[in-house]
Amino acid sequence: MVSPLEAFYARVTHGQSTHGVGFGSLVPDPRGLLDLPAGFTYTAFSKTGDIMSDGNPVPGDHDGMAAFPGPKDTTILVRNHELSPDQINKFGVKASDSHKYDPLCLGGTTTLIVDKNGNLQQDYASLAGTYRNCAGGPTPWGSWISCEENTSTPAGNKLGDPRNVSKKHGYNFEVPVRGRLVKPIPLVAMGRFNHEAIAVDPVSGYIYQTEDRGDSCFYRFRPQQPRNLKAGGILEALVIKGMPTVNTSTGFLSKKGQPLAVEWVKLEDVDPVEDTLRQEAQTKGAAIFNRGEGAWYGNGLIYFVCTSGGEIGQGQIFAYNPVDDTLTLVIESERESELDNPDNITVAPFGDLFLCEDGNGEQFIVGVNAAGEIYKFARNAINTSEFAGVCFSPDGSKLFLNIQNPGITFCIQGAWG
């Protein structure tokens, strides 16, 4: 089966237009929130500052998110909040200090229960006291891995600095779909670095991880025990065979569409004192990516986004094939109007890819269909804040997404076809 990104590459190769109609032209929203194609509607809920079911305000900076099946035709969402300790003017994730990983930090996750009609039933805090929970990813066993995009430590504290912390950061945390506040336990064996997102191969159980740095690496975690990440495992970094420590950001366009054989090198110091994990990886030949961000499993592949990659710095999308151990550059933005710094990504039940833009000016949800055409599906009609957290309900009938600021979650329904 040809994936949407492979079809996109084929269209470019044959000189065909990559502009697609998708679900039709976007219709201006009279409410001034979200422009969608005709025939699609939305509900907006869980806005920053609203009072949640647990009595606390909805935290700010909505980010990565995933949807899980709930009881009685409900959908359960677990949503990140990308908050730093110095953002004291914003609503943080509220919890007692005993339920926080670091009492000085405001980030974490909230859990939302949405009914079959797309209306919010409940929302409450589920992880607290973490630092800049940017993205993450769902697991096949019913949990959300929330990733810290920061590597602060108490050693870096300065007198009176509002960014001071009381514990080391740069870890992943697992949040069960069911239940309230989880006890925050850092998954140290998965590595301490500037985490962004994860994607799980359901066949092997291996977890793939991105790193939001200009000189980032792409990581693989092989758990020692299936579904028990706290038991540890082996952390590795991707190396492209015959191309040690290659920078995939520039000069890589000629490789587009070519499956490149890869191998994996084991990393020893997975919990370094400083933010040096990628340096160990690169001394062992690991490939370099420009701001690895969104990741998602679908169509048998691990897709991941490099937000600032490419000749013009507008973004790249790679696909790793775990069956034949190859990596393919499948999209590189050559025009800002086509694709503007993609970030979060998901794969629709019908095969299309949906990408959240996080660039300049107007921000869109961009789709890539089976014919390899790019189309605009949604437009942020409020401001120029990024889209985040795009994901489909388990039954495929609803698309959920966030606008990070002012912090709103949307449930979109329509004729997906």
Side-chain angles (χ1 to χ4, degrees), residues 181-298:
L181 272 169
V182 67
K183 181 175 176 57
I185 300 174
L187 300 171
V188 177
M190 295 185 74
R192 193 178 87 85
F193 57 92
N194 216 53
H195 284 276
E196 178 67 32
I198 68 100
V200 183
D201 177 1
V203 178
S204 66
Y206 295 170
I207 302 176
Y208 297 85
Q209 308 183 78
T210 56
E211 179 179 27
D212 193 354
R213 292 285 191 194
D215 60 343
S216 69
C217 293
F218 185 60
Y219 302 96
R220 180 173 75 178
F221 179 67
R222 296 192 285 125
Q224 184 172 316
Q225 297 177 13
R227 303 187 175 200
N228 182 10
L229 305 182
K230 298 181 184 69
I234 295 172
L235 185 65
E236 302 166 313
L238 180 142
V239 176
I240 300 176
K241 289 184 177 180
M243 304 172 69
T245 324
V246 63
N247 189 327
T248 63
S249 180
T250 57
F252 216 70
L253 197 54
S254 62
K255 305 292 184 184
K256 191 163 74 170
Q258 299 179 30
L260 303 173
V262 307
E263 57 189 352
W264 297 86
V265 292
K266 183 180 178 181
L267 303 177
E268 302 296 337
D269 190 6
V270 301
D271 188 21
V273 175
E274 303 293 337
D275 182 20
T276 57
L277 187 65
R278 67 194 183 284
Q279 294 171 18
E280 179 190 342
Q282 289 161 20
T283 62
K284 296 177 177 179
I288 299 171
F289 300 92
N290 195 342
R291 294 190 61 205
E293 294 211 49
W296 203 268
Y297 175 85

Side-chain angles (χ1 to χ4, degrees), residues 344-346 348 350 352-355 365-366 375 377 390 392 416:
N344 287 180
I345 182 174
T346 195
F350 46 89
D352 288 14
L353 304 179
F354 280 73
L355 306 164
I365 297 292
V366 176
Y375 58 89
F377 175 75
V390 63
F392 279 84
W416 293 107

Side-chain angles (χ1 to χ4, degrees), residues 144-179:
W144 166 255
I145 305 298
S146 185
C147 301
E148 287 190 310
E149 190 191 6
N150 185 273
T151 55
S152 294
T153 69
N157 287 351
K158 298 177 182 179
L159 183 64
D161 191 334
R163 295 168 296 180
N164 286 348
V165 297
S166 66
K167 290 187 178 180
K168 288 170 64 177
H169 292 271
Y171 300 112
N172 292 338
F173 295 81
E174 187 166 17
V175 182
V177 173
R178 306 291 181 94

Side-chain angles (χ1 to χ4, degrees), residues 21-40:
V21 174
F23 292 92
S25 301
L26 303 186
V27 179
D29 178 13
R31 297 171 61 187
L33 297 179
L34 191 67
D35 297 346
L36 295 169
F40 286 85

Side-chain angles (χ1 to χ4, degrees), residues 6-20 335 338 371-374:
E6 291 170 320
F8 172 88
Y9 174 70
R11 295 184 75 86
V12 173
T13 301
H14 294 95
Q16 298 172 302
S17 171
T18 57
H19 177 73
R335 290 179 298 278
E338 178 179 81
E373 299 169 332
I374 287 182

